[in-house]
């Protein structure tokens, strides 16, 4: 009986496990060629990740703003997000969105206009565990 209970418990655990890691297929998204580059910076590793590439902020022709991860690569993790933040460790930030892939060129549209004199970092951050994977200081 005990073995049956352990078997049911194990099956329930495996069946309920969610795959929350980011996809790994390389992306090659593009941004409008008329978009104006406002700031960019190279990614640096955080305490929980290895991140390479460049982060960029563009003002689009229609007046909206986008964050672009260019030549981007990071190790995988659960619940990874892209933030435009006032600090390297995101506390006060604008959400770009859930990380689309661990590598390639990716575009994230911002829901609000950022003040780049305050929002100086693009961060790759694990929301579930509050772990910083990496950041780019915008210049």
């Amino acid at each position: 009986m005990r073995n049956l209970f352990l078997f049911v418990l194990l099956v329930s655990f495996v069946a309920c496990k969610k795959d929350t890691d980011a996809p790994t297929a390389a992306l090659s998204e593009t941004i409008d060629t008329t978009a104006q580059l406002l700031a960019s910076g190279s990614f640096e590793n955080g305490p929980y990740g290895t991140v390479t590439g460049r982060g960029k902020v563009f003002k689009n022709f229609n007046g909206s703003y986008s964050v672009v991860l260019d030549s981007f690569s990071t190790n995988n993790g659960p619940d990874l997000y892209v933030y435009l933040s006032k600090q390297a460790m995101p506390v006060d930030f604008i959400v770009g969105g859930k990380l689309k892939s661990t590598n390639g060129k990716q575009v994230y549209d911002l829901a609000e206009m950022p003040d780049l004199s305050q929002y100086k970092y693009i961060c790759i951050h694990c929301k579930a565990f509050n772990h910083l994977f990496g950041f780019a200081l915008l210049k």
Side-chain angles (χ1 to χ4, degrees):
M1 184 63 139
R2 180 178 174 186
N3 287 343
L4 178 61
F5 173 75
L6 290 174
F7 175 76
V8 170
L9 184 64
L10 178 64
V11 168
S12 297
F13 177 76
V14 172
C16 294
K17 183 181 177 288
K18 291 172 102 178
D19 184 18
T20 58
D21 283 355
T24 57
L27 296 180
S28 184
E29 297 183 336
T30 59
I31 192 160
D32 183 355
T33 57
T34 63
Q36 176 188 8
L37 177 63
L38 299 177
S40 70
S42 294
F43 275 101
E44 298 180 34
N45 297 332
Y48 294 95
T50 302
V51 183
T52 60
R54 293 193 61 81
K56 301 175 181 181
V57 177
F58 286 89
K59 182 176 182 180
N60 300 310
F61 179 73
N62 65 3
S64 66
Y65 292 82
S66 297
V67 168
V68 175
L69 308 182
D70 199 5
S71 301
F72 176 78
S73 179
T74 184
N75 55 310
N76 214 335
D79 209 24
L80 294 179
Y81 277 79
V82 177
Y83 296 136
L84 186 61
S85 177
K86 291 184 178 182
Q87 302 89 11
M89 182 65 180
V91 177
D92 190 1
F93 55 86
I94 298 169
V95 177
K98 193 160 181 74
L99 189 69
K100 296 175 184 178
S101 177
T102 58
N103 63 80
K105 187 173 185 178
Q106 305 170 43
V107 179
Y108 298 84
D109 296 325
L110 299 177
E112 55 189 280
M113 181 180 81
D115 177 353
L116 294 178
S117 69
Q118 293 185 32
Y119 292 90
K120 296 182 178 188
Y121 295 89
I122 296 174
C123 304
I124 308 302
H125 183 261
C126 171
K127 183 177 176 181
F129 297 102
N130 195 26
H131 288 166
L132 179 66
F133 274 55
F135 63 91
L137 174 60
L138 299 172
K139 298 176 184 174

